[in-house]
Amino acid sequence: MERQVQSITVHEQIIKPTHIWWAVLALVSIGSGVAILLVNPMIVFGLLGVIAMAVFLVYYPFLGVLAYFVFEYARLSAMFPALQSLQIGKLIVLPTLAIWLVRYAVFRQSKVIYDRAYLFFFIWGGLAFASIAVALDTGGALDQSVDLVKWFIICFLIVNLVDNLKRFQWVMWVYLLLNFKLSQHQIRSFAAGYASATDREFYVSQGAGGGGGFFGNSTDFGLAMAIVAPLAFYLIQSVKSKMLKIAAGTFMMFFVVSILRSGSRGAALALFACGVLYWKYSKS
């Protein structure tokens, strides 16, 4: 009996969890090397990224929110056409939702945070699905209604995973940094186009967008900048680090310039309204 216990102990010491992880890593590496020889390397790298993200999501589901922001705003699928067939946005959102549901239903490690936005989504989605019956293009109406479900899932994950101050700060800084990327691209593109334009007055009157895939025109882009400019101003006042204050101030300066260069009167009015409200409620 004692020999059996000693034998079991020896086996437990020989086979450790780290050894299993190294074995899995070796198998994945060999399989990836073979797959690169057979299919498009970008697809292989994309799948490896999804697998790595899934492993991280098991321990830190909050990373799914950050990853979704990065992939959507950086437009990596547009930069690398081979990734378009993977639909990386869905490959991030759906595993994140599944892992959250498992943690909630099985391990009781999560809790549902209710928000009034859910009610508006339900009303909006109900009306959208009801309108399919009288739509001229039922296929298009169904696709747009299903998109509302996707946006509700994203809203639900943000509300339930960004549930403390530290995570909120991470999301805000990543969100502002990604919008700063779009802002500086718009300003540089406008400067290059202005220098080569034959009719500069007409060129200025057209406005300039940010080049983002889901910002269809300069008005959409101006609205996006009007949303993030007050957030940058908030960070200027709330953070203590001088370097972070400088970064937030730089972001805000670029966002304001982008609003003016977008040529959107609605975005300029929104920025003015933000200033009026701040002046009204500020102690100074």
Side-chain angles (χ1 to χ4, degrees), residues 166 169-170 172-174 176-177 231-253 255:
K166 186 175 181 180
Q169 291 172 340
W170 270 102
M172 183 174 290
W173 279 108
V174 169
L176 291 179
L177 185 62
L231 297 180
F233 183 71
Y234 161 75
L235 289 176
I236 295 174
Q237 295 186 318
S238 61
V239 298
K240 297 180 180 180
S241 172
K242 291 184 178 180
M243 294 299 297
L244 293 180
K245 286 182 179 292
I246 293 174
T250 303
F251 290 167
M252 183 178 176
M253 179 182 67
F255 296 154

Side-chain angles (χ1 to χ4, degrees), residues 132-184:
I132 297 176
V134 295
L136 297 177
D137 182 5
T138 55
L142 177 61
D143 292 338
Q144 296 296 323
S145 300
V146 172
D147 280 343
L148 288 178
V149 177
K150 179 186 71 173
W151 290 117
F152 170 73
I153 293 174
I154 295 170
C155 174
F156 178 85
L157 290 175
I158 292 175
V159 170
N160 284 271
L161 292 176
V162 187
D163 56 354
N164 58 51
L165 180 59
K166 186 175 181 180
R167 292 180 177 182
F168 176 72
Q169 291 172 340
W170 270 102
V171 168
M172 183 174 290
W173 279 108
V174 169
Y175 183 55
L176 291 179
L177 185 62
L178 293 170
N179 279 275
F180 172 71
K181 174 182 177 295
L182 298 178
S183 175
Q184 59 84 27

Side-chain angles (χ1 to χ4, degrees), residues 28 34 47 68 105 142 158 205 211 215 225 247:
V28 171
V34 175
L47 289 175
Y68 179 79
L142 177 61
I158 292 175
S205 65
F215 297 131
M225 295 296 105

